[in-house]
Amino acid sequence: MTSPADPVRIALAPVSTDLLRGAITEAGAQVADLDEARALIWDGGPADFPAQLPDSVEWVQLFSAGVEEFFAAGIFERHPNVVFTSAAGAFAKSVAEHTVALLLAGVRYLPEHLRARSWRQKEFFPHIGTLRGATVAVVGAGGIGREVISLLEPFGARIIAVNRSGTPISAPNVAETVPAQRLSEVWSRTDHVVVAAPATADTRHLVGKDELAQLKPHSWVINVARGSLIDTDALVTALEEGTIGGAGLDVTDPEPLPDGHPLWDLPNAIITPHDSNPPHLRTTAFAEHVGANIARFVGGRELIARIDPAAGY
Amino acid sequence: MTSPADPVRIALAPVSTDLLRGAITEAGAQVADLDEARALIWDGGPADFPAQLPDSVEWVQLFSAGVEEFFAAGIFERHPNVVFTSAAGAFAKSVAEHTVALLLAGVRYLPEHLRARSWRQKEFFPHIGTLRGATVAVVGAGGIGREVISLLEPFGARIIAVNRSGTPISAPNVAETVPAQRLSEVWSRTDHVVVAAPATADTRHLVGKDELAQLKPHSWVINVARGSLIDTDALVTALEEGTIGGAGLDVTDPEPLPDGHPLWDLPNAIITPHDSNPPHLRTTAFAEHVGANIARFVGGRELIARIDPAAGY
């Protein structure tokens, strides 16, 4: 517990913005230097992360939702006694909105509409789909996945949620929750797929040739997680051959997608360059997340989005 | 009231489909010839509508949501003792889904993304908007408008609903309901505009030069009602000058939009050729509507979407 005379000291690095300083003080803590801080709000990447943290630091809040680069840099290993939290969930709402924008654009055939220079009504009619009554598999029912499920509810789409444990996701439109190890049963039973799972060794190429082959000619695959979750070559083939309806990709593999890559020219691919959570929306959302987590830290409550080094996210 | 021995007789013309015949019988009525029918399900246009209806006909169900062509053809005038119902509401869900697809595509800057052939992340970032916390004016809070309001709820958009009477629309995200005669107060206070009002003399050019001038550089205007509600020339100017963000138009004036019209080439216009409610989705939705209205007719209850000849829709 804390008192006004003895506020919780929190360091903010590498960039100290007014917005984040405000979030710290509004949550009842005090901005302090790292060597006297109990927590660190780290709004940078892994490259310049402190080699050593003072013993006083119990908790580090990171700025991104996906933290695989911090794993790769060995940062969690190096600080086994520190609790790390990601920004998972903080950016979920913006990314989820983007996800639904991509899915609806696909289902409503907007890419071809945007190429049209004449009134092609009769030609377009059969291509207009609907989410109403459609099944959408949401693979990875974490922060983003759960927001997507919530956004899709009034559209009347039936959700198959996929998470690690298979613990049922409680939402009115979730028809079933499938554990990740039974994911192979999902592909032939869904209309569309939203990929929102963390990038781990287990999820690499989670969507590959065999999975794509079980989807439908009208199926859209939306990836807002990490490019590595989809086998890009297999996806390009499926898009070229029209065995699926299309793909909406906010993340790609490789990323950035190089000029001249076949995905750029495919009429049934929508590429957004990892901009589902742009800086101006991110800053506000992260400050809210930081404020909420500091209030929890100050109050001795469980932190949001605690990283589990054993699980890999 | 009716009994199995004396079913309500309903005529179906000009096209008798299995789907609609099924809807009639499932609702507890019987398909009959027009001269012995108490009601007519008319799935055609005004041109071949019967010049005279038998005295036995009390009710006519029309196939479209907008019935201005039936007004123009004098059909309601010619049958003052007959109750007419439109299909208003029946197609609302599909049109509302299309509306949100267009709005999200605009807000998320998808048209420019679809033109990109390289990873233009930093350039695109500032253009990515969000519905979260944005204000959306829904002009015309009938069947489609109310569905749009419901679809937008989980996105966190704040709705200003506009209807004829100003009778408050009860929905958690509706911040205020404004009567149509105070519509002029709305433009400067909203981020985006959804036009979903019926086409009447009063609503012609409801969105014109003065209205567009009060919107914001990021504002999207979506029209899923009728082309005549927007002054096309004024819209083209606003889009060319970038004084608004863009327009998503499922209906245009003129319609069909002729080849070479400036709207086709504007990068911030999404034209869908009145296909928000394509035949394959319409047929199913209309059959459901017919079934529900026949059940009401058979039960002596109030019909859905009764046309008010005095109001003009």
Side-chain angles (χ1 to χ4, degrees), chain A residues 212-262:
Chain A
L212 291 163
Q214 295 178 67
L215 292 175
K216 298 173 176 68
H218 66 264
S219 294
W220 273 73
V221 176
I222 312 297
N223 189 3
V224 290
R226 286 290 184 265
S228 65
L229 274 74
I230 296 186
D231 177 344
T232 302
D233 292 343
L235 180 66
V236 167
T237 303
L239 292 171
E240 283 173 347
E241 296 179 351
T243 58
I244 65 170
L249 308 174
D250 189 51
V251 290
T252 57
D253 179 21
E255 183 174 319
L257 196 68
D259 288 3
H261 192 283

Side-chain angles (χ1 to χ4, degrees), chain B residues 238-312:
Chain B
L239 292 171
E240 282 173 347
E241 297 179 351
T243 57
I244 65 169
L249 307 175
D250 189 51
V251 290
T252 58
D253 179 21
E255 183 175 316
L257 196 67
D259 288 3
H261 192 282
L263 278 174
W264 288 120
D265 282 316
L266 282 167
N268 49 356
I270 313 176
I271 313 294
T272 64
H274 210 143
D275 60 12
S276 63
N277 177 31
H280 62 105
L281 300 183
R282 203 182 308 175
T283 332
T284 337
F286 184 63
E288 281 170 26
H289 184 84
V290 163
N293 245 354
I294 293 177
R296 284 166 175 257
F297 184 72
V298 166
R301 287 177 292 138
E302 199 183 349
L303 298 174
I304 304 165
R306 184 172 170 160
I307 293 164
D308 177 356

Side-chain angles (χ1 to χ4, degrees), chain A residues 8-299:
Chain A
V8 171
R9 292 190 170 83
I10 295 188
L12 172 58
V15 184
S16 177
T17 64
D18 285 348
L19 191 67
L20 286 175
R21 296 177 73 88
I24 291 173
T25 53
E26 275 164 36
Q30 182 184 315
V31 182
D33 288 337
L34 183 57
D35 55 16
E36 56 170 19
R38 284 181 56 200
L40 167 62
I41 311 300
W42 182 255
D43 57 0
D48 46 355
F49 193 82
Q52 270 203 303
L53 290 171
D55 287 347
S56 62
V57 172
E58 303 160 35
W59 164 46
V60 175
Q61 168 69 55
L62 300 176
F63 183 58
S64 58
V67 292
E68 66 278 11
E69 289 177 5
F70 286 86
F71 271 103
I75 283 167
F76 307 124
E77 241 171 16
R78 219 156 69 215
H79 306 286
N81 300 321
V82 173
V83 170
F84 284 85
T85 53
S86 74
F91 312 132
K93 286 185 163 68
S94 181
V95 178
E97 178 178 333
H98 204 85
T99 305
V100 175
L102 291 171
L103 180 58
L104 279 173
V107 166
R108 289 283 159 165
Y109 206 53
L110 296 191
E112 190 60 27
H113 281 93
L114 280 158
R115 271 185 293 277
R117 291 293 173 274
S118 62
W119 192 263
R120 294 157 58 188
Q121 186 186 57
K122 284 200 176 129
E123 181 195 338
F124 284 174
F125 269 154
H127 296 281
I128 307 290
T130 180
L131 289 180
R132 190 151 299 276
T135 300
V136 179
V138 176
V139 182
I144 294 166
R146 283 197 301 269
E147 284 292 338
V148 168
I149 290 169
S150 151
L151 294 183
L152 290 180
E153 207 258 310
F155 289 89
R158 179 183 168 277
I159 306 291
I160 301 180
V162 181
N163 59 15
R164 218 166 19 143
S165 61
T167 308
I169 302 291
S170 170
N173 53 335
V174 172
E176 48 182 319
T177 306
V178 171
Q181 76 265 24
R182 283 178 39 217
L183 178 59
S184 61
E185 301 167 15
V186 170
W187 308 103
S188 63
R189 294 167 47 221
T190 194
D191 292 293
H192 308 291
V193 178
V194 168
V195 179
T200 66
D202 287 346
T203 60
R204 186 180 146 76
H205 287 196
L206 179 138
V207 181
K209 189 185 166 191
D210 295 345
E211 291 74 25
L212 291 163
Q214 295 178 67
L215 292 175
K216 298 173 176 68
H218 66 264
S219 294
W220 273 73
V221 176
I222 312 297
N223 189 3
V224 290
R226 286 290 184 265
S228 65
L229 274 74
I230 296 186
D231 177 344
T232 302
D233 292 343
L235 180 66
V236 167
T237 303
L239 292 171
E240 283 173 347
E241 296 179 351
T243 58
I244 65 170
L249 308 174
D250 189 51
V251 290
T252 57
D253 179 21
E255 183 174 319
L257 196 68
D259 288 3
H261 192 283
L263 277 174
W264 287 121
D265 283 316
L266 281 166
N268 48 356
I270 313 176
I271 313 294
T272 65
H274 210 142
D275 60 14
S276 62
N277 178 31
H280 62 105
L281 300 183
R282 202 182 310 173
T283 332
T284 338
F286 184 63
E288 280 171 25
H289 184 83
V290 163
N293 245 354
I294 292 176
R296 284 165 174 258
F297 184 73
V298 167

Side-chain angles (χ1 to χ4, degrees), chain B residues 138 141 149 159-171 174-180 182 186:
Chain B
V138 176
I149 290 168
I159 307 291
I160 302 179
V162 181
N163 60 16
R164 215 163 27 141
S165 61
T167 308
I169 301 291
S170 169
V174 172
E176 47 182 318
T177 306
V178 171
R182 283 180 37 220
V186 170

Side-chain angles (χ1 to χ4, degrees), chain B:
Chain B
M1 295 300 292
T2 184
S3 74
D6 182 25
V8 171
R9 293 189 170 85
I10 295 187
L12 172 57
V15 183
S16 177
T17 65
D18 285 348
L19 191 68
L20 287 175
R21 297 178 73 89
I24 291 172
T25 52
E26 276 164 36
Q30 182 185 312
V31 182
D33 288 337
L34 183 58
D35 56 15
E36 55 170 19
R38 283 181 56 200
L40 167 62
I41 311 299
W42 182 255
D43 58 359
D48 47 355
F49 193 83
Q52 269 204 303
L53 289 171
D55 287 346
S56 61
V57 173
E58 303 160 35
W59 164 46
V60 175
Q61 168 69 56
L62 300 175
F63 184 58
S64 57
V67 292
E68 66 277 14
E69 289 176 6
F70 286 86
F71 272 102
I75 284 167
F76 307 124
E77 241 172 17
R78 217 156 70 214
H79 305 286
N81 298 323
V82 173
V83 169
F84 284 84
T85 53
S86 74
F91 311 132
K93 286 184 162 70
S94 180
V95 178
E97 178 177 334
H98 203 84
T99 305
V100 176
L102 291 171
L103 179 59
L104 279 173
V107 166
R108 289 281 158 166
Y109 206 53
L110 296 191
E112 191 61 27
H113 281 93
L114 281 159
R115 272 185 293 277
R117 291 295 174 272
S118 62
W119 192 263
R120 294 158 59 188
Q121 186 186 57
K122 285 198 175 133
E123 181 195 337
F124 284 174
F125 269 155
H127 296 282
I128 307 289
T130 180
L131 288 180
R132 191 152 298 278
T135 301
V136 179
V138 176
V139 182
I144 293 167
R146 282 197 301 269
E147 285 292 337
V148 168
I149 290 168
S150 152
L151 294 183
L152 290 179
E153 207 259 311
F155 288 89
R158 179 183 169 277
I159 307 291
I160 302 179
V162 181
N163 60 16
R164 215 163 27 141
S165 61
T167 308
I169 301 291
S170 169
N173 53 335
V174 172
E176 47 182 318
T177 306
V178 171
Q181 78 264 24
R182 283 180 37 220
L183 178 58
S184 61
E185 300 167 16
V186 170
W187 308 102
S188 65
R189 294 167 48 222
T190 194
D191 292 293
H192 307 292
V193 177
V194 168
V195 178
T200 66
D202 287 345
T203 60
R204 187 179 145 77
H205 287 196
L206 179 138
V207 181
K209 189 184 168 192
D210 295 344
E211 291 74 25
L212 291 163
Q214 295 178 68
L215 294 175
K216 300 173 177 64
H218 65 265
S219 296
W220 273 73
V221 175
I222 312 298
N223 189 3
V224 291
R226 287 288 185 265
S228 64
L229 276 73
I230 296 185
D231 177 343
T232 302
D233 292 344
L235 180 66
V236 166
T237 303
L239 292 171
E240 282 173 347
E241 297 179 351
T243 57
I244 65 169
L249 307 175
D250 189 51
V251 290
T252 58
D253 179 21
E255 183 175 316
L257 196 67
D259 288 3
H261 192 282
L263 278 174
W264 288 120
D265 282 316
L266 282 167
N268 49 356
I270 313 176
I271 313 294
T272 64
H274 210 143
D275 60 12
S276 63
N277 177 31
H280 62 105
L281 300 183
R282 203 182 308 175
T283 332
T284 337
F286 184 63
E288 281 170 26
H289 184 84
V290 163
N293 245 354
I294 293 177
R296 284 166 175 257
F297 184 72
V298 166
R301 287 177 292 138
E302 199 183 349
L303 298 174
I304 304 165
R306 184 172 170 160
I307 293 164
D308 177 356
Y313 64 91

